[in-house]
């Protein structure tokens, strides 16, 4: 896993360096309201403008990555870089950039401009079964409840990984080091409620919590 995450970082750096050189097909995907849903329907390489409320803060998800996630109603997307903006959860931002998809990671925007428009309530996480964390939920906040069915895998410097299953099939939880979340109290067999960003890394779907309170251990019945 360490090697794969490191390869992703190298690939991301190359992607950001080349973003300005992408020659899109029929480009502009901007709907009148900067719709994320409209942007997600465009081909990779398109220039898009999206508006949404930040559901993670700058640099939460990967070391040395200054990206963040945004969501508009039930649809979200990841912004690969903050362009030095200190984006906070709850801020409404307008982002223009190139639509990309690197190493199977959640569909993303490599930004050329970011503007903070104000603040808004963060959309509530959508409750889903563990087996339902998939392409259908990718990019939005979700909440799962189940049992930890694996060891807590140390994947530092990137973070920690474990699997949760509610009986419908397991999904992974990845606790990124940038969040500062302490996983020392977690262990296999615990029942947990976890909310976070519905993401993808290579061929694996995962839930990425943002704050310590996004992981809650349930009492033993």
């Amino acid at each position: 896993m360490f090697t794969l995450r490191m390869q992703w970082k190298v690939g991301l750096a190359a992607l950001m360096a080349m973003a300005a050189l992408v020659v899109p097909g029929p480009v502009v995907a901007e709907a009148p309201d900067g719709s994320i849903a409209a942007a997600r329907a465009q081909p990779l390489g398109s220039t898009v403008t999206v508006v949404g409320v930040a559901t993670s803060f700058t640099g939460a998800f990967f070391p040395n990555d200054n990206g963040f996630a945004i969501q508009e109603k039930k649809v979200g997307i990841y912004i690969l870089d903050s362009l030095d903006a200190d984006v906070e959860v709850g801020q409404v931002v307008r982002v223009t950039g190139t639509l990309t998809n690197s190493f199977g990671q959640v569909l993303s925007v490599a930004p050329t401009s970011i503007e903070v428009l104000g603040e808004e309530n963060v959309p509530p996480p959508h409750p889903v079964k563990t087996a339902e964390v998939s392409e259908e939920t990718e990019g939005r906040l979700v909440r799962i409840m189940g049992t930890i069915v694996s060891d807590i895998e140390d994947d530092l410097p990137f973070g920690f990984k474990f699997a949760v299953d509610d009986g419908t099939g397991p999904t992974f939880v990845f606790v990124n080091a940038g969040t500062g979340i302490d996983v020392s109290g977690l262990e296999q067999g615990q029942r947990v409620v976890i909310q976070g960003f519905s993401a993808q890394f290579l061929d694996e779907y995962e839930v990425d919590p943002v704050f310590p309170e996004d992981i809650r251990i349930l009492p033993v019945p």
Side-chain angles (χ1 to χ4, degrees):
M1 174 60 76
F2 175 85
T3 301
L4 291 178
R5 295 266 170 181
M6 184 62 73
Q7 289 174 344
W8 184 90
K9 293 301 296 180
V10 172
L12 175 58
L15 173 67
M16 294 300 295
M18 295 174 58
L21 301 178
V22 172
V23 179
V27 284
V28 185
E30 181 178 2
D33 59 352
S35 166
I36 295 176
R40 291 184 65 94
Q42 303 306 306
L44 297 180
S46 296
T47 297
V48 299
T49 295
V50 290
V51 177
V53 58
T55 55
S56 71
F57 54 87
T58 295
F61 286 156
F62 299 100
N64 304 315
D65 178 345
N66 291 320
F68 59 94
I70 63 173
Q71 185 169 323
E72 171 207 10
K73 297 180 181 177
K74 298 179 179 180
V75 185
I77 201 163
Y78 191 70
I79 311 303
L80 286 175
D81 193 271
S82 69
L83 301 182
D84 295 324
D86 189 14
V87 176
E88 299 179 357
V89 172
Q91 288 183 323
V92 178
V93 293
R94 178 189 289 120
V95 180
T96 296
T98 303
L99 197 67
T100 68
N101 194 344
S102 177
F103 288 88
Q105 169 68 328
V106 62
L107 191 67
S108 308
V109 176
T112 55
S113 70
I114 295 174
E115 181 184 3
V116 177
L117 305 178
E119 295 185 358
E120 188 175 303
N121 290 332
V122 176
H126 177 55
V128 295
K129 300 293 186 181
T130 51
E132 294 174 345
V133 178
S134 64
E135 200 74 25
E136 296 300 315
T137 62
E138 182 186 273
R140 69 182 297 189
L141 291 177
V142 297
R143 184 176 69 246
I144 58 174
M145 180 173 64
T147 301
I148 298 176
V149 293
S150 72
D151 292 333
I152 313 301
E153 179 183 341
D154 184 338
D155 193 22
L156 291 173
F158 302 105
F160 298 87
K161 173 183 174 182
F162 56 93
V164 174
D165 193 348
D166 62 6
T168 64
T171 195
F172 289 106
V173 174
F174 198 87
V175 181
N176 291 277
T179 64
I181 296 174
D182 181 6
V183 300
S184 61
L186 298 176
E187 60 185 30
Q188 187 171 355
Q190 289 175 327
R191 283 182 49 77
V192 291
V193 175
I194 295 175
Q195 64 185 43
F197 180 70
S198 179
Q200 181 182 355
F201 182 74
L202 299 179
D203 59 350
E204 294 178 351
Y205 293 100
E206 60 188 38
V207 177
D208 293 5
V210 179
F211 298 108
E213 55 266 32
D214 289 342
I215 300 178
R216 184 162 56 93
I217 302 172
L218 297 175
V220 178

